[in-house]
Amino acid sequence: MITYQADKREFLGHTRYGDIEQILLKQAQNVAGHGVGPYQVTAWKHSLMEMFKVLDDDDIPDDAGVAIEYQLLQSAKRIDF
């Protein structure tokens, strides 16, 4: 299960224009069937802006994949980014 999936170009756009937290919140509700608390939304906002800075690099192809909140199969563990 993946809460958010896009390519680098889409992710940078969503983050640059401040939409990423709302997109993740909506997707979390759709995928998991419930929302998340305000602390999680704030954490997304700050941490994903840092990832924006990392990915905003011409050496990384625009079509590189981005996945957020990736649930590992048959496990309670997940990969944040």
Side-chain angles (χ1 to χ4, degrees):
M1 174 173 59
I2 299 173
T3 302
Y4 175 89
Q5 186 172 4
D7 63 26
K8 176 190 132 179
R9 184 178 325 124
E10 290 173 307
F11 171 76
L12 293 179
H14 290 152
T15 306
R16 178 178 289 121
Y17 300 112
D19 297 333
I20 192 70
E21 306 90 57
Q22 293 307 312
I23 292 169
L24 280 168
L25 181 58
K26 184 177 179 181
Q27 283 298 107
Q29 291 168 339
N30 290 339
V31 171
H34 56 79
V36 298
Y39 294 113
Q40 180 63 54
V41 174
T42 300
W44 281 335
K45 181 176 183 173
H46 295 293
S47 65
L48 294 176
M49 190 47 121
E50 294 303 313
M51 292 309 299
F52 171 91
K53 294 174 188 175
V54 170
L55 291 177
D56 194 20
D57 181 329
D58 290 338
D59 289 336
I60 301 171
D62 284 342
D63 63 351
V66 172
I68 300 172
E69 302 291 338
Y70 175 70
Q71 182 78 38
L72 297 175
L73 294 176
Q74 300 179 352
S75 171
K77 295 181 180 183
R78 61 183 172 77
I79 298 170
D80 287 342
F81 190 91

Coordinates of all heavy atoms in Angstrom, one line a residue:
M1 N 0.8 -1.2 0.0 CA 0.0 0.0 0.0 C 0.9 1.2 0.0 O 1.9 1.3 0.7 CB -0.9 0.0 1.2 CG -1.7 1.2 1.4 SD -2.9 1.2 2.7 CE -1.9 0.8 4.1
I2 N 0.6 2.2 -0.9 CA 1.3 3.4 -1.0 C 0.3 4.6 -0.8 O -0.7 4.6 -1.5 CB 2.0 3.6 -2.3 CG1 3.1 2.4 -2.5 CG2 2.7 4.9 -2.4 CD1 3.7 2.4 -3.9
T3 N 0.6 5.5 0.1 CA -0.3 6.6 0.3 C -0.1 7.7 -0.8 O -1.1 8.2 -1.2 CB 0.0 7.3 1.7 OG1 -0.2 6.3 2.7 CG2 -1.0 8.4 2.0
Y4 N 1.1 7.9 -1.3 CA 1.3 8.9 -2.3 C 2.4 8.3 -3.3 O 3.4 7.8 -2.8 CB 1.8 10.2 -1.7 CG 2.2 11.2 -2.7 CD1 1.3 12.2 -3.1 CD2 3.6 11.3 -3.1 CE1 1.7 13.2 -4.0 CE2 3.9 12.3 -4.0 CZ 3.0 13.2 -4.5 OH 3.4 14.2 -5.3
Q5 N 2.1 8.5 -4.6 CA 3.0 8.0 -5.6 C 3.0 9.0 -6.7 O 1.9 9.4 -7.2 CB 2.6 6.6 -6.1 CG 3.6 6.0 -7.0 CD 3.3 4.6 -7.3 OE1 2.3 4.0 -6.9 NE2 4.2 3.9 -8.1
A6 N 4.1 9.5 -7.1 CA 4.2 10.4 -8.2 C 5.7 10.4 -8.8 O 6.5 9.6 -8.3 CB 4.0 11.8 -7.7
D7 N 5.9 11.1 -9.8 CA 7.3 11.3 -10.3 C 7.9 12.5 -9.6 O 7.2 13.3 -9.0 CB 7.4 11.3 -11.8 CG 6.7 12.4 -12.5 OD1 6.5 13.5 -11.9 OD2 6.4 12.3 -13.7
K8 N 9.2 12.7 -9.8 CA 9.8 13.8 -9.2 C 9.2 15.2 -9.5 O 9.0 16.0 -8.7 CB 11.3 13.8 -9.6 CG 12.1 15.0 -9.0 CD 13.5 15.1 -9.7 CE 13.7 16.5 -10.1 NZ 15.1 16.7 -10.7
R9 N 8.9 15.3 -10.8 CA 8.3 16.6 -11.2 C 7.0 16.9 -10.5 O 6.8 18.0 -10.1 CB 8.1 16.5 -12.8 CG 7.6 17.8 -13.4 CD 7.4 17.7 -14.9 NE 8.5 16.9 -15.5 CZ 8.3 15.8 -16.2 NH1 7.1 15.4 -16.5 NH2 9.3 15.1 -16.7
E10 N 6.1 15.9 -10.4 CA 4.8 16.1 -9.7 C 5.1 16.4 -8.2 O 4.4 17.3 -7.7 CB 4.0 14.9 -9.9 CG 3.5 14.6 -11.2 CD 2.7 13.3 -11.4 OE1 3.4 12.3 -11.0 OE2 1.6 13.3 -11.8
F11 N 5.9 15.6 -7.6 CA 6.2 15.8 -6.2 C 6.7 17.2 -5.9 O 6.3 17.9 -5.0 CB 7.2 14.8 -5.7 CG 7.7 15.1 -4.3 CD1 6.9 14.8 -3.2 CD2 9.0 15.7 -4.1 CE1 7.3 15.1 -1.9 CE2 9.4 16.0 -2.8 CZ 8.6 15.7 -1.7
L12 N 7.7 17.7 -6.8 CA 8.2 19.1 -6.6 C 7.1 20.1 -6.7 O 7.0 21.1 -5.9 CB 9.4 19.3 -7.6 CG 10.6 18.5 -7.4 CD1 11.7 18.9 -8.4 CD2 11.2 18.7 -6.0
G13 N 6.2 19.9 -7.7 CA 5.1 20.9 -7.9 C 4.2 20.8 -6.7 O 3.8 21.9 -6.2
H14 N 3.8 19.7 -6.2 CA 2.9 19.6 -5.1 C 3.5 20.2 -3.8 O 2.8 20.8 -3.0 CB 2.6 18.1 -4.8 CG 1.7 17.5 -5.8 ND1 1.7 16.1 -6.1 CD2 0.7 18.0 -6.6 CE1 0.8 15.9 -7.0 NE2 0.2 17.0 -7.4
T15 N 4.8 20.0 -3.6 CA 5.5 20.5 -2.5 C 5.7 22.0 -2.6 O 5.5 22.8 -1.6 CB 6.8 19.8 -2.2 OG1 6.6 18.4 -2.2 CG2 7.5 20.2 -0.9
R16 N 6.1 22.5 -3.8 CA 6.4 23.9 -4.0 C 5.2 24.8 -3.7 O 5.3 25.8 -3.2 CB 6.9 24.1 -5.4 CG 7.2 25.6 -5.8 CD 7.7 25.7 -7.2 NE 9.1 25.2 -7.3 CZ 9.5 24.2 -8.1 NH1 8.6 23.6 -8.9 NH2 10.7 23.8 -8.1
Y17 N 4.0 24.3 -4.1 CA 2.8 25.1 -4.0 C 2.0 24.8 -2.8 O 0.9 25.2 -2.6 CB 2.0 24.9 -5.3 CG 2.8 25.4 -6.5 CD1 3.2 24.5 -7.5 CD2 3.1 26.7 -6.6 CE1 3.9 24.9 -8.6 CE2 3.9 27.1 -7.7 CZ 4.3 26.2 -8.7 OH 5.0 26.6 -9.7
G18 N 2.6 24.0 -1.8 CA 2.0 23.8 -0.5 C 0.8 22.8 -0.5 O 0.0 22.8 0.4
D19 N 0.7 22.0 -1.6 CA -0.5 21.1 -1.7 C -0.2 19.7 -1.1 O -1.1 19.0 -0.8 CB -0.9 20.9 -3.1 CG -1.3 22.1 -3.8 OD1 -1.8 23.0 -3.1 OD2 -1.2 22.2 -5.1
I20 N 1.1 19.4 -0.9 CA 1.5 18.0 -0.5 C 0.8 17.5 0.7 O 0.3 16.4 0.8 CB 3.0 17.9 -0.5 CG1 3.4 16.4 -0.4 CG2 3.6 18.6 0.7 CD1 3.2 15.7 -1.7
E21 N 0.7 18.3 1.8 CA 0.1 17.8 3.0 C -1.4 17.5 2.8 O -1.9 16.5 3.3 CB 0.2 18.9 4.2 CG 1.5 19.4 4.5 CD 1.8 20.6 3.7 OE1 1.1 21.6 3.7 OE2 2.8 20.6 3.0
Q22 N -2.1 18.3 2.1 CA -3.5 18.1 1.8 C -3.7 16.8 0.9 O -4.7 16.1 1.1 CB -4.2 19.3 1.3 CG -4.3 20.4 2.2 CD -4.9 20.0 3.6 OE1 -6.0 19.4 3.6 NE2 -4.3 20.4 4.7
I23 N -2.9 16.7 0.0 CA -2.9 15.5 -0.9 C -2.7 14.2 -0.1 O -3.4 13.3 -0.2 CB -1.9 15.6 -2.1 CG1 -2.3 16.7 -3.0 CG2 -1.8 14.3 -2.8 CD1 -1.3 17.1 -4.0
L24 N -1.7 14.3 0.8 CA -1.4 13.1 1.6 C -2.5 12.8 2.6 O -2.9 11.7 2.8 CB -0.1 13.3 2.4 CG 1.2 13.1 1.6 CD1 2.4 13.6 2.4 CD2 1.3 11.6 1.3
L25 N -3.1 13.9 3.2 CA -4.2 13.7 4.1 C -5.4 13.0 3.4 O -6.0 12.1 3.9 CB -4.6 15.0 4.7 CG -5.7 15.0 5.7 CD1 -5.4 14.1 6.9 CD2 -6.0 16.4 6.2
K26 N -5.7 13.5 2.2 CA -6.8 12.9 1.5 C -6.5 11.5 1.1 O -7.4 10.6 1.2 CB -7.1 13.8 0.2 CG -8.3 13.3 -0.6 CD -8.5 14.2 -1.8 CE -9.7 13.7 -2.6 NZ -9.9 14.6 -3.7
Q27 N -5.3 11.2 0.6 CA -4.9 9.9 0.2 C -4.9 8.9 1.5 O -5.3 7.8 1.3 CB -3.6 9.9 -0.4 CG -3.6 10.3 -1.9 CD -4.5 9.4 -2.7 OE1 -5.6 9.8 -3.1 NE2 -4.0 8.2 -3.0
A28 N -4.5 9.4 2.6 CA -4.5 8.6 3.8 C -5.9 8.2 4.2 O -6.1 7.0 4.5 CB -3.8 9.3 5.0
Q29 N -6.8 9.1 4.0 CA -8.2 8.8 4.3 C -8.7 7.8 3.3 O -9.5 6.9 3.7 CB -9.0 10.1 4.2 CG -8.7 11.0 5.4 CD -9.3 12.4 5.2 OE1 -9.7 12.8 4.1 NE2 -9.5 13.1 6.3
N30 N -8.4 7.9 2.0 CA -8.8 7.0 1.0 C -8.2 5.6 1.1 O -8.9 4.6 1.0 CB -8.5 7.5 -0.4 CG -9.4 8.7 -0.8 OD1 -10.4 8.9 -0.2 ND2 -8.9 9.5 -1.7
V31 N -6.9 5.6 1.4 CA -6.1 4.3 1.4 C -6.4 3.6 2.8 O -6.7 2.4 2.8 CB -4.6 4.5 1.2 CG1 -3.8 3.3 1.5 CG2 -4.4 5.0 -0.2
A32 N -6.2 4.3 3.9 CA -6.3 3.6 5.2 C -7.7 3.7 5.8 O -8.0 3.0 6.7 CB -5.3 4.3 6.1
G33 N -8.6 4.5 5.2 CA -9.9 4.6 5.7 C -10.1 5.5 6.9 O -11.1 5.6 7.5
H34 N -9.0 6.2 7.3 CA -9.1 7.2 8.4 C -8.1 8.3 8.2 O -7.1 8.1 7.4 CB -8.9 6.5 9.7 CG -7.6 5.8 9.8 ND1 -6.4 6.4 10.0 CD2 -7.3 4.4 9.7 CE1 -5.4 5.5 10.0 NE2 -5.9 4.3 9.8
G35 N -8.3 9.4 8.8 CA -7.4 10.5 8.7 C -6.2 10.4 9.6 O -6.0 9.3 10.2
V36 N -5.4 11.4 9.7 CA -4.2 11.4 10.6 C -4.4 12.7 11.4 O -5.1 13.6 11.1 CB -2.9 11.4 9.8 CG1 -2.8 10.1 9.0 CG2 -2.8 12.6 8.9
G37 N -3.6 12.7 12.5 CA -3.7 13.9 13.4 C -2.9 15.1 12.9 O -2.1 15.0 12.0
P38 N -3.1 16.2 13.5 CA -2.4 17.4 13.1 C -0.9 17.3 13.2 O -0.1 18.0 12.4 CB -3.0 18.5 14.0 CG -3.6 17.8 15.2 CD -4.0 16.5 14.6
Y39 N -0.4 16.6 14.2 CA 1.1 16.4 14.3 C 1.7 15.7 13.1 O 2.8 16.0 12.7 CB 1.4 15.7 15.6 CG 1.1 16.4 16.8 CD1 0.1 16.0 17.7 CD2 1.7 17.6 17.2 CE1 -0.2 16.7 18.9 CE2 1.4 18.3 18.3 CZ 0.4 17.9 19.1 OH 0.1 18.6 20.3
Q40 N 1.0 14.7 12.6 CA 1.4 14.0 11.4 C 1.5 15.0 10.2 O 2.4 15.0 9.4 CB 0.6 12.8 11.1 CG 1.0 12.0 9.8 CD 2.4 11.4 10.0 OE1 2.7 10.7 10.9 NE2 3.3 11.7 9.1
V41 N 0.4 15.8 10.0 CA 0.4 16.7 8.9 C 1.5 17.7 9.0 O 2.2 18.0 8.0 CB -1.0 17.5 8.9 CG1 -1.0 18.5 7.8 CG2 -2.1 16.5 8.6
T42 N 1.8 18.2 10.2 CA 2.9 19.1 10.4 C 4.3 18.4 10.1 O 5.1 19.0 9.5 CB 2.9 19.7 11.9 OG1 1.7 20.4 12.1 CG2 4.1 20.6 12.1
A43 N 4.4 17.2 10.5 CA 5.6 16.4 10.2 C 5.8 16.3 8.7 O 6.9 16.4 8.2 CB 5.6 15.1 10.9
W44 N 4.7 16.0 8.0 CA 4.8 15.9 6.6 C 5.3 17.2 6.0 O 6.2 17.2 5.1 CB 3.5 15.5 6.0 CG 3.1 14.1 6.1 CD1 3.9 13.0 6.2 CD2 1.7 13.6 6.0 NE1 3.1 11.8 6.2 CE2 1.8 12.2 6.1 CE3 0.5 14.2 6.0 CZ2 0.7 11.4 6.1 CZ3 -0.7 13.4 6.0 CH2 -0.6 12.0 6.0
K45 N 4.7 18.3 6.4 CA 5.0 19.6 5.9 C 6.5 19.9 6.0 O 7.1 20.3 5.0 CB 4.2 20.7 6.6 CG 4.4 22.0 6.0 CD 3.5 23.0 6.7 CE 3.7 24.4 6.1 NZ 2.8 25.4 6.6
H46 N 7.1 19.6 7.1 CA 8.5 20.0 7.4 C 9.4 19.0 6.7 O 10.4 19.4 6.0 CB 8.8 20.1 8.9 CG 8.0 21.2 9.5 ND1 8.3 22.5 9.2 CD2 7.0 21.2 10.4 CE1 7.5 23.3 9.9 NE2 6.7 22.5 10.6
S47 N 9.1 17.7 6.9 CA 10.1 16.7 6.3 C 10.0 16.7 4.8 O 11.1 16.5 4.2 CB 9.8 15.3 6.9 OG 8.5 14.9 6.5
L48 N 8.9 16.8 4.2 CA 8.8 16.8 2.8 C 9.4 18.0 2.1 O 9.8 18.0 1.0 CB 7.3 16.5 2.3 CG 6.8 15.1 2.8 CD1 5.4 15.0 2.4 CD2 7.7 14.0 2.2
M49 N 9.4 19.1 2.8 CA 10.1 20.3 2.3 C 11.6 20.0 2.2 O 12.3 20.5 1.3 CB 9.8 21.5 3.1 CG 10.3 22.8 2.5 SD 9.8 22.9 0.7 CE 8.9 24.3 0.7
E50 N 12.1 19.3 3.2 CA 13.5 18.9 3.2 C 13.8 18.0 2.0 O 14.8 18.1 1.3 CB 14.0 18.3 4.5 CG 13.9 19.2 5.7 CD 14.8 20.5 5.5 OE1 15.9 20.3 5.0 OE2 14.3 21.6 5.7
M51 N 12.9 17.0 1.7 CA 13.0 16.1 0.6 C 12.9 16.9 -0.7 O 13.6 16.6 -1.7 CB 12.0 15.0 0.6 CG 12.2 14.0 1.8 SD 14.0 13.4 1.9 CE 14.1 12.6 0.3
F52 N 12.1 17.9 -0.7 CA 12.0 18.8 -1.9 C 13.4 19.4 -2.2 O 13.8 19.4 -3.4 CB 11.0 20.0 -1.6 CG 11.1 21.1 -2.7 CD1 10.2 21.0 -3.8 CD2 11.9 22.1 -2.6 CE1 10.2 22.0 -4.7 CE2 11.9 23.1 -3.5 CZ 11.1 23.1 -4.6
K53 N 14.1 19.9 -1.2 CA 15.4 20.4 -1.4 C 16.4 19.4 -1.9 O 17.3 19.7 -2.8 CB 16.0 21.0 0.0 CG 15.2 22.2 0.5 CD 15.7 22.6 1.8 CE 14.8 23.6 2.5 NZ 15.2 23.9 3.9
V54 N 16.3 18.2 -1.5 CA 17.2 17.1 -2.0 C 16.9 16.8 -3.4 O 17.8 16.6 -4.3 CB 17.0 15.8 -1.1 CG1 17.7 14.6 -1.7 CG2 17.5 16.0 0.3
L55 N 15.6 16.7 -3.8 CA 15.2 16.2 -5.1 C 15.3 17.4 -6.2 O 15.2 17.1 -7.4 CB 13.8 15.6 -5.1 CG 13.7 14.3 -4.4 CD1 12.2 13.8 -4.4 CD2 14.6 13.3 -5.1
D56 N 15.3 18.6 -5.7 CA 15.4 19.7 -6.6 C 16.8 19.9 -7.2 O 17.5 20.8 -6.9 CB 14.9 21.0 -5.9 CG 14.7 22.2 -6.9 OD1 14.4 21.9 -8.1 OD2 14.7 23.3 -6.4
D57 N 17.2 18.9 -7.9 CA 18.5 18.7 -8.5 C 18.4 18.2 -9.9 O 17.8 17.2 -10.2 CB 19.3 17.7 -7.6 CG 20.7 17.5 -8.0 OD1 21.1 17.6 -9.2 OD2 21.5 17.2 -7.1
D58 N 19.1 18.9 -10.8 CA 19.0 18.6 -12.2 C 19.6 17.2 -12.5 O 19.3 16.6 -13.6 CB 19.6 19.6 -13.1 CG 18.8 20.9 -13.1 OD1 17.6 20.9 -12.9 OD2 19.4 22.0 -13.4
D59 N 20.5 16.7 -11.7 CA 21.1 15.4 -11.9 C 20.1 14.3 -11.6 O 20.4 13.1 -12.0 CB 22.3 15.2 -11.0 CG 23.5 16.1 -11.4 OD1 23.5 16.5 -12.6 OD2 24.4 16.4 -10.6
I60 N 19.0 14.5 -10.9 CA 18.0 13.5 -10.7 C 16.9 13.7 -11.8 O 16.3 14.7 -11.9 CB 17.4 13.7 -9.3 CG1 18.4 13.6 -8.2 CG2 16.2 12.7 -9.1 CD1 18.0 13.9 -6.8
P61 N 16.7 12.6 -12.5 CA 15.7 12.7 -13.6 C 14.3 13.1 -13.2 O 13.9 12.7 -12.1 CB 15.7 11.3 -14.2 CG 16.9 10.6 -13.7 CD 17.3 11.3 -12.4
D62 N 13.6 13.9 -14.0 CA 12.3 14.3 -13.7 C 11.3 13.1 -13.5 O 10.3 13.3 -12.8 CB 11.7 15.3 -14.7 CG 12.3 16.6 -14.6 OD1 12.9 17.0 -13.5 OD2 12.3 17.4 -15.6
D63 N 11.6 12.0 -14.2 CA 10.7 10.9 -14.1 C 11.0 9.9 -13.0 O 10.4 8.8 -12.9 CB 10.5 10.2 -15.5 CG 11.8 9.6 -16.0 OD1 12.9 9.8 -15.3 OD2 11.8 8.9 -17.0
A64 N 12.0 10.3 -12.1 CA 12.3 9.4 -11.0 C 11.0 9.3 -10.1 O 10.3 10.2 -9.9 CB 13.4 10.0 -10.2
G65 N 10.8 8.1 -9.6 CA 9.6 7.8 -8.8 C 9.8 8.2 -7.4 O 10.8 8.2 -6.8
V66 N 8.6 8.7 -6.8 CA 8.6 9.1 -5.4 C 7.4 8.3 -4.8 O 6.3 8.3 -5.4 CB 8.3 10.6 -5.3 CG1 8.1 11.0 -3.8 CG2 9.5 11.4 -5.8
A67 N 7.6 7.7 -3.7 CA 6.5 7.0 -2.9 C 6.6 7.5 -1.5 O 7.7 7.5 -0.9 CB 6.7 5.5 -3.0
I68 N 5.5 7.8 -0.9 CA 5.4 8.2 0.5 C 4.5 7.3 1.3 O 3.4 7.0 0.8 CB 5.0 9.7 0.6 CG1 6.0 10.6 -0.2 CG2 4.8 10.1 2.1 CD1 5.5 12.0 -0.3
E69 N 4.9 6.9 2.5 CA 4.1 6.1 3.4 C 3.9 4.7 2.7 O 2.7 4.3 2.5 CB 2.8 6.7 3.8 CG 3.0 8.0 4.5 CD 3.6 7.9 5.9 OE1 3.5 6.8 6.5 OE2 4.1 8.9 6.4
Y70 N 4.9 4.1 2.3 CA 4.9 2.8 1.6 C 4.8 1.7 2.6 O 5.8 1.5 3.4 CB 6.1 2.6 0.7 CG 6.2 1.3 0.0 CD1 5.3 0.9 -1.0 CD2 7.2 0.4 0.4 CE1 5.4 -0.3 -1.6 CE2 7.3 -0.9 -0.2 CZ 6.3 -1.2 -1.2 OH 6.4 -2.4 -1.8
Q71 N 3.7 1.0 2.7 CA 3.5 -0.2 3.7 C 4.2 -1.4 3.1 O 3.9 -1.8 2.0 CB 2.1 -0.4 3.9 CG 1.7 -1.5 4.9 CD 1.9 -1.0 6.3 OE1 1.6 0.1 6.6 NE2 2.4 -1.8 7.1
L72 N 5.1 -2.0 3.8 CA 5.7 -3.3 3.4 C 4.7 -4.4 3.5 O 4.0 -4.5 4.4 CB 6.9 -3.6 4.3 CG 8.1 -2.5 4.2 CD1 9.2 -2.9 5.2 CD2 8.7 -2.5 2.8
L73 N 4.8 -5.3 2.5 CA 3.8 -6.4 2.4 C 4.0 -7.3 3.6 O 5.1 -7.6 4.1 CB 4.1 -7.2 1.1 CG 3.7 -6.4 -0.2 CD1 4.1 -7.3 -1.3 CD2 2.3 -6.1 -0.2
Q74 N 2.9 -7.8 4.1 CA 2.9 -8.7 5.2 C 3.7 -8.2 6.5 O 4.3 -9.0 7.1 CB 3.4 -10.1 4.8 CG 2.6 -10.7 3.7 CD 3.0 -12.0 3.2 OE1 4.1 -12.5 3.6 NE2 2.2 -12.6 2.4
S75 N 3.6 -6.9 6.7 CA 4.3 -6.3 7.8 C 3.6 -5.1 8.3 O 2.9 -4.4 7.5 CB 5.7 -6.0 7.4 OG 6.4 -5.2 8.4
A76 N 3.8 -4.7 9.5 CA 3.3 -3.5 10.0 C 4.3 -2.3 9.8 O 4.0 -1.2 10.0 CB 3.0 -3.6 11.5
K77 N 5.4 -2.7 9.2 CA 6.4 -1.6 8.9 C 6.1 -0.9 7.7 O 5.5 -1.4 6.7 CB 7.8 -2.3 8.9 CG 8.2 -2.9 10.2 CD 9.6 -3.5 10.0 CE 10.0 -4.1 11.4 NZ 11.3 -4.7 11.3
R78 N 6.6 0.4 7.6 CA 6.5 1.2 6.4 C 7.7 2.0 6.2 O 8.5 2.3 7.1 CB 5.2 2.1 6.5 CG 5.3 3.0 7.7 CD 4.0 3.9 7.8 NE 4.0 4.7 8.9 CZ 4.7 5.8 9.1 NH1 5.4 6.3 8.1 NH2 4.6 6.5 10.2
I79 N 7.8 2.4 5.0 CA 8.9 3.3 4.6 C 8.3 4.7 4.4 O 7.3 4.9 3.6 CB 9.6 2.8 3.3 CG1 10.2 1.5 3.5 CG2 10.6 3.8 2.8 CD1 10.7 0.8 2.2
D80 N 8.8 5.7 5.1 CA 8.2 7.0 5.0 C 8.4 7.6 3.6 O 7.4 8.2 3.1 CB 8.9 8.0 6.0 CG 8.5 7.7 7.4 OD1 7.5 7.0 7.7 OD2 9.2 8.1 8.3
F81 N 9.6 7.6 3.0 CA 9.8 8.2 1.7 C 10.6 7.3 0.8 O 11.6 6.8 1.2 CB 10.5 9.5 1.9 CG 10.6 10.4 0.7 CD1 9.6 11.3 0.5 CD2 11.7 10.3 -0.2 CE1 9.7 12.1 -0.7 CE2 11.7 11.1 -1.3 CZ 10.7 12.0 -1.6

